[in-house]
Amino acid sequence: MSKTAPALLIAALALPAAAHAAGGPFGIDHTLHFDNSGVWKRSNQQIVYYGTLASVAAGALWLGDRDEMGDTLWRSVDAIVVAGAGAQALKWTFQRERPSQSRSPDRWFKGLHAQSFPSGEVAAISAAVTPIMVHYGDEHPAVYALALLPVYDAVARMKVHEHWQSDVLVGAAIGVGVGLWAEHRKSPWIVSLLPGGFQVGFAKHWD
């Protein structure tokens, strides 16, 4: 259930690709053929990324924590924030150069301009969809199709030479792990810091 997203990611990353270099922490990192057109275009990546975040945030605010779906979306909000902060901290720590900056996947600690590891976008999208898949997947298996969102973003980020394979895999692992943490908490964290109106949701204010 909760392993669906990383399993699909691994399957996607295992597809044949031309390798200009191989290495990295798992020995799998290589550049893909550059493609910033069509479905892989950066503007389409941004639609998926910002669309996912906006949909989760809007749904959480609209439904509120007292609604079952609203509660799940607030857990996704928690996961997005924590995964994003964690990924950024790791970027600053490891300072890995992107494929667009170097042909070698083994260039680490090269300064704050080098922020390839891990993928913050893949971490955030994985974090957003994991609580929803865990909560609703058994009853509604179609929900597992949400795993395609981080899979798409992972491949797209590699296509435009912004990330290595290990970047997106670790990003996905962070997102899924934090998403599981958020889903199994007694209550959402961020909503507890906000005024009570956010627990009710804006939908109730319009009744």
Side-chain angles (χ1 to χ4, degrees):
M1 178 171 61
S2 59
K3 297 178 181 178
T4 303
L8 285 175
L9 263 174
I10 292 169
L13 300 183
L15 294 174
H20 298 289
F26 309 132
I28 61 171
D29 292 330
H30 56 271
T31 55
L32 303 187
H33 174 70
F34 182 83
D35 189 352
N36 189 25
S37 62
V39 68
W40 308 117
K41 196 172 182 180
R42 178 57 181 154
S43 59
N44 291 328
Q45 297 174 32
Q46 291 173 321
I47 289 171
V48 171
Y49 175 63
Y50 291 112
T52 299
L53 303 194
S55 297
V56 167
L61 291 170
W62 181 252
L63 295 173
D65 183 51
R66 295 178 187 173
D67 177 89
E68 182 182 2
M69 183 62 184
D71 177 80
T72 303
L73 292 175
W74 274 114
R75 294 172 188 276
S76 289
V77 171
D78 284 356
I80 290 168
V81 171
V82 175
Q88 187 58 55
L90 291 173
K91 286 175 181 287
W92 287 334
T93 300
F94 290 103
Q95 302 171 14
R96 187 188 200 184
E97 289 189 342
R98 301 178 185 273
S100 60
Q101 296 171 312
S102 172
R103 286 289 187 176
S104 171
D106 297 309
R107 291 178 61 82
W108 305 79
F109 309 109
K110 297 301 179 181
L112 292 179
H113 69 283
Q115 296 194 25
S116 186
F117 181 87
S119 171
E121 286 190 16
V122 175
I125 297 175
S126 300
V129 302
T130 295
I132 302 170
M133 291 193 298
V134 171
H135 191 84
Y136 291 103
D138 282 347
E139 255 183 88
H140 307 284
V143 169
Y144 291 132
L146 290 173
L148 295 174
L149 294 176
V151 168
Y152 161 77
D153 192 66
V155 176
R157 298 301 282 151
M158 292 188 296
K159 284 279 192 180
V160 295
H161 289 186
E162 288 300 306
H163 287 294
W164 304 97
Q165 282 77 4
S166 57
D167 298 336
V168 297
L169 284 173
V170 172
I174 290 170
V176 171
V178 175
L180 291 172
W181 163 80
E183 173 58 23
H184 289 102
R185 280 179 54 84
K186 185 176 180 181
S187 61
W189 166 56
I190 291 176
V191 73
S192 68
L193 306 176
L194 299 173
F198 289 95
Q199 295 181 14
V200 176
F202 288 111
K204 294 295 183 183
H205 296 309
W206 291 93
D207 285 348

